[in-house]
Amino acid sequence: PSPATFIIYSLPFNCSPTMMLGRLISPALTRQASNSLRLRLSAPVAQSRSAAVPKNYAPSRRFGDKADATTKTNAAPIKEATSASTAKTTTTAATEAVAPAKSSSWWDSAEFWGRCGALAGWGMSGAAIYDALESSPELISLNMTGVLLVYSSLFARWAFVVKPQNLLLAGCHLTNIFAQGNQFRRAVEYKKENGKDEEVNDIMMKAGATAAVGAACVLAGPAVQSGIVAANLGPISAVAAAEAGPFTVHFWAPMSKWMISGASFMELDRPTDKISLAQYTALTFTGFFFSRYALLVAPINYTLCSVNIALFGSSGWHLGRKIKADYLS
């Protein structure tokens, strides 16, 4: 054989003349051809893999890649589920933040003390009904009866808007309004029959003035409050905007109770034969229960707590005098 034939057949097994020619071609052309073959072979594999992708699977993609229709379709249910879960979590958290936490202890239970206060209030209404049936009208104090009318009107509203709502207490005060109104009527008729017209006229003038002032406050209150808050007067505006501030029933309901305590303090030497045992028993228990209840409601009402401590003391004083005079002397 010729020398060229000898050289060719003496090369290794896998080194053919075609391969030797490929080594002489530019490396750039070689890489381009290799990439082209690799892409053609990988396309069917990608299609077979995409067929096995789960229904709700959202494939990740690099920055700058365009999402295809399949990705958008599969990602939509996940996005909706995530949004629904987030909204549910947010709603639950907001509800837990607004709703007061239920306490397992009776001492910290607003519902327990609210029911006790309502029952004491029902005792006051029952006392007025009992006095109307059994007691003489000469025992009725017009000052106390008028104060109780204002007091029950304000507390009926307070019990309806306070948190937690106390409908038992609201019903009790609505009943007391009618009962005390009947007591007021009996006392006025008795005084007129006994020639005390001047005293009756004085009482009626006070009642009319109180009603007029109350109506004016209710009608003009919102506008005055908005003006003070908008004026940015510092602490004054802050007090006006407070949840239990002077433009809310949370403030005026306790203030009406201060009138009850004041009436009791002004009559500390009242003759015991003119003291209603049932009425002052109910007032004493009301002061006791509401002293604790005022610290458990929302908004917390320190004014209501302080006035009930005073009411407990003044009513308890009259109750003790009545019991001593009738049963211990």
Side-chain angles (χ1 to χ4, degrees):
S2 64
T5 305
F6 178 79
I7 292 172
I8 292 173
Y9 284 98
S10 63
L11 292 172
F13 170 75
N14 59 353
C15 188
S16 64
T18 305
M19 296 182 63
M20 291 178 62
L21 182 61
R23 293 177 183 273
L24 300 177
I25 302 175
S26 172
L29 296 176
T30 304
R31 285 195 298 271
Q32 184 177 1
S34 176
N35 291 337
S36 177
L37 291 173
R38 188 177 296 113
L39 290 173
R40 290 178 182 177
L41 292 175
S42 62
V45 176
Q47 292 178 0
S48 63
R49 289 181 179 176
S50 63
V53 173
K55 181 179 179 181
N56 292 332
Y57 173 73
S60 60
R61 54 191 180 91
R62 293 174 296 178
F63 181 81
D65 292 345
K66 294 183 178 180
D68 55 3
T70 305
T71 302
K72 293 180 180 179
T73 304
N74 292 337
I78 297 177
K79 185 177 180 180
E80 293 176 0
T82 304
S83 301
S85 177
T86 304
K88 184 177 180 180
T89 304
T90 305
T91 304
T92 303
T95 304
E96 292 178 353
V98 172
K102 292 185 178 180
S103 175
S104 57
S105 172
W106 63 270
W107 178 254
D108 297 324
S109 173
E111 288 80 5
F112 171 78
W113 291 100
R115 291 190 189 100
C116 290
L119 291 175
W122 276 107
M124 188 167 56
S125 301
I129 297 172
Y130 173 83
D131 289 341
L133 296 174
E134 301 293 336
S135 300
S136 172
E138 64 179 346
L139 299 178
I140 300 173
S141 170
L142 280 175
N143 290 331
M144 180 62 73
T145 302
V147 169
L148 288 175
L149 279 170
V150 176
Y151 157 78
S152 286
S153 300
L154 290 170
F155 262 97
R157 174 61 179 166
W158 179 85
F160 189 77
V161 300
V162 75
K163 302 298 179 184
Q165 193 179 59
N166 197 334
L167 296 180
L168 183 62
L169 181 63
C172 141
H173 281 290
L174 288 174
T175 303
N176 192 51
I177 291 172
F178 291 103
Q180 296 297 336
N182 182 56
Q183 289 288 83
F184 191 86
R185 177 193 61 79
R186 293 178 65 227
V188 169
E189 290 179 352
Y190 174 80
K191 291 183 180 299
K192 282 187 174 182
E193 291 174 357
N194 290 271
K196 298 181 180 180
D197 293 337
E198 292 184 2
E199 183 179 352
V200 171
N201 292 334
D202 183 58
I203 291 292
M204 297 305 292
M205 289 290 291
K206 291 180 180 178
T210 302
V213 171
C217 291
V218 171
L219 294 175
V224 176
Q225 181 186 21
S226 300
I228 295 176
V229 173
N232 293 326
L233 300 176
I236 297 177
S237 296
V239 171
E243 291 183 339
F247 291 94
T248 67
V249 71
H250 301 288
F251 175 83
W252 288 106
M255 290 306 295
S256 69
K257 221 164 190 177
W258 271 116
M259 290 189 291
I260 297 177
S261 299
S264 296
F265 280 120
M266 290 174 62
E267 298 179 336
L268 289 178
D269 58 346
R270 186 181 184 187
T272 55
D273 58 340
K274 294 185 177 181
I275 293 176
S276 170
L277 181 64
Q279 183 184 67
Y280 277 90
T281 299
L283 287 173
T284 302
F285 278 104
T286 298
F288 174 75
F289 290 130
F290 271 84
S291 298
R292 178 59 182 163
Y293 181 47
L295 302 177
L296 301 174
V297 296
I300 295 176
N301 202 320
Y302 296 106
T303 306
L304 182 60
C305 177
S306 61
V307 70
N308 276 284
I309 293 174
L311 179 64
F312 174 74
S314 61
S315 301
W317 165 260
H318 287 293
L319 180 63
R321 292 177 61 238
K322 179 67 173 178
I323 294 174
K324 181 180 178 181
D326 292 358
Y327 301 101
L328 302 179
S329 297

